[in-house]
Amino acid sequence: MSEAVTQLTESLLQQFKSETFVLLSTVDIESGGPTSTAISWIYAENASTLRVAIDHRSCLVNNMIENPVITVTIFGEEMVYAVNGRASVRQNPLQDVPFNMCCFDISIEAVRNALFYGAQLSSVPQFVKIYDQRAAEKLDEQVFTAMKKA
């Protein structure tokens, strides 16, 4: 994928249908510069919309409210993709979760291969949760269920 497209490919759509992590880049409201944070509460609502849930303690919430231009960086099959879009509040606060969160929809404007020329990923990065596994699964279930209802 050398040219930008305006929707997720089928392989990216499938990757966003299961648990994954991404880098969410926003414009910092204090410095005006870029800031990136790894998040995992994200899924594809469809090929042109991503949905994310962000803890209100994170500066990302105010960053996206003040300046909705964002980039989601995802490590896909053999490539790194930059998904550019605009965030809008879907539900604030997100209902039926144990702490104050904001749910955003991201309207996808462009999807680009962000890996340097002549390279490909040999594997997709993976992560493990290092806190109570049952608590993590319960919280993930609550958040994703609430996001899908939003």
Side-chain angles (χ1 to χ4, degrees), residues 104-143:
F104 291 88
D105 278 351
I106 298 170
S107 298
I108 296 172
E109 296 176 346
V111 180
R112 294 184 172 84
N113 176 2
L115 194 57
F116 56 91
Y117 178 77
Q120 71 179 35
L121 293 181
S122 57
S123 65
V124 176
Q126 298 180 347
F127 66 95
V128 294
K129 295 175 182 166
I130 57 173
Y131 55 99
D132 183 318
Q133 188 64 35
R134 285 184 292 169
E137 289 172 3
K138 180 180 178 184
L139 181 58
D140 286 347
E141 175 71 24
Q142 288 173 316
V143 171

